[in-house]
């Protein structure tokens, strides 16, 4: 698969991650503990994180960066943000008082990841 195809799939996964996080934040804000919408958002979040990971590693392989020992700083930044976005659902569920703060901070994490991917700090 081409590098461009991996990038498109990676971005699609990111869009679904943030859509799912938004849905989970709103469900938590409304006090929804169970239901089809929350379940769909949770499943979408997990699947989208997997898509982001697979497409990201595919793109890294196309760039010749498949060895973690040779990863530049920007890859580590994106990997750390991926881990945070993966675990943030626990905080969304257990600390609903933070939902408004997370509503504004999560897109900033996405912006930092985009900055790292575009400017590639060493």
């Amino acid at each position: 698969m081409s590098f461009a195809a991996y990038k498109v799939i990676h971005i699609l996964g990111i869009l679904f991650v943030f859509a799912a996080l938004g849905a989970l934040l709103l469900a938590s804000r409304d006090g929804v503990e169970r239901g089809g919408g929350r379940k769909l958002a949770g499943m979408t979040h997990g699947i989208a994180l997997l898509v982001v990971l697979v497409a990201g590693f595919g793109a890294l392989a196309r760039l010749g960066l498949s060895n973690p020992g040779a990863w530049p700083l920007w890859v580590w930044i994106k990997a750390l943000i991926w881990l945070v976005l993966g675990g943030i659902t626990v905080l969304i569920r257990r600390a609903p008082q933070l939902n408004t703060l997370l509503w504004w901070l999560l897109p900033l994490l996405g912006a930092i990841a985009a900055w790292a991917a575009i400017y590639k700090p060493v």
Side-chain angles (χ1 to χ4, degrees):
M1 197 177 319
S2 71
F3 178 72
Y6 280 119
K7 277 178 61 171
V8 169
I9 296 168
H10 188 69
I11 291 168
L12 178 65
I14 292 165
L15 292 171
F16 274 109
V17 166
F18 280 97
L21 287 172
L24 289 170
L25 282 166
L26 291 176
S28 179
R29 181 181 175 127
D30 290 341
V32 177
E33 288 296 320
R34 299 188 189 277
R38 187 174 191 108
K39 185 175 181 179
L40 176 63
M43 290 187 323
T44 300
H45 180 256
I47 293 166
L49 281 172
L50 182 62
V51 168
V52 169
L53 184 70
V54 170
F57 277 115
L60 284 176
R62 286 290 177 197
L63 291 173
L65 296 172
S66 55
N67 178 10
W71 284 356
L73 177 62
W74 66 272
V75 176
W76 288 107
I77 291 170
K78 287 183 57 96
L80 177 63
I81 290 171
W82 182 86
L83 286 171
V84 170
L85 292 176
I88 203 74
T89 57
V90 174
L91 192 58
I92 290 170
R93 181 177 277 271
R94 294 192 181 172
Q97 69 274 15
L98 297 177
N99 285 346
T100 302
L101 178 65
L102 291 174
W103 182 265
W104 296 104
L105 287 182
L106 288 175
L108 292 177
L109 276 180
I112 293 168
W115 171 83
I118 292 167
Y119 291 102
K120 295 181 176 36
V122 181

